[in-house]
């Protein structure tokens, strides 16, 4: 039995599936790009957190939101058949940039 964390993606997709009607006319790439400001805000929260400890909690919540948005882009692409060649690249690069920002913070 394979119990890797990656496999949690599928039950999580079912959990957030109620959001799909709100994104019917949105491209998955736009959702992927929205990760960038979210990643920047998260990095800023952790950067300033030593002076305002509540920002650690805010950062954790923003990371959870990022997880939702990051899963939603693929779900939109599959559900509404909006896959694209550059979409796969954007889907990979946007979270990596967010991770770099977080490591810098």
């Amino acid at each position: 039995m394979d119990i890797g964390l990656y496999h949690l993606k599928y039950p999580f997709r079912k959990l957030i599936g109620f959001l799909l009607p709100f994104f019917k006319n949105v491209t998955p790439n736009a959702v992927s790009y929205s990760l960038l400001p979210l990643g920047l805000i998260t990095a800023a929260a952790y950067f300033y957190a030593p002076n305002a400890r509540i920002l650690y909690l805010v950062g954790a919540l923003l990371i959870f939101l990022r997880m939702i948005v990051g899963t939603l882009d693929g779900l939109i692409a599959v559900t509404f058949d909006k896959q694209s060649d550059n979409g796969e690249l954007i889907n990979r690069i946007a979270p990596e940039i967010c991770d770099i920002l977080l490591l810098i913070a």
Side-chain angles (χ1 to χ4, degrees), residues 12-94:
F12 190 66
R13 280 184 170 186
K14 289 181 183 177
L15 187 65
I16 65 171
F18 73 94
L19 296 171
L20 283 173
F22 300 106
F23 293 93
K24 188 172 186 166
N25 298 318
V26 177
T27 67
N29 292 349
V31 176
S32 293
Y33 282 130
S34 72
L35 288 172
L36 298 175
L38 187 56
L40 186 61
I41 294 167
T42 304
Y46 278 107
F47 181 78
Y48 291 108
N51 297 325
R53 294 176 114 39
I54 190 72
L55 291 177
Y56 286 117
L57 178 60
V58 170
L61 293 173
L62 288 169
I63 288 173
F64 183 69
L65 179 60
R66 186 182 133 193
M67 187 175 72
I68 293 170
V69 173
T71 303
L72 193 58
D73 65 352
L75 187 57
I76 291 168
V78 170
T79 303
F80 299 121
D81 195 29
K82 294 183 178 185
Q83 298 96 333
S84 67
D85 292 335
N86 64 344
E88 188 174 331
L89 180 66
I90 295 166
N91 186 43
R92 295 288 302 170
I93 289 177

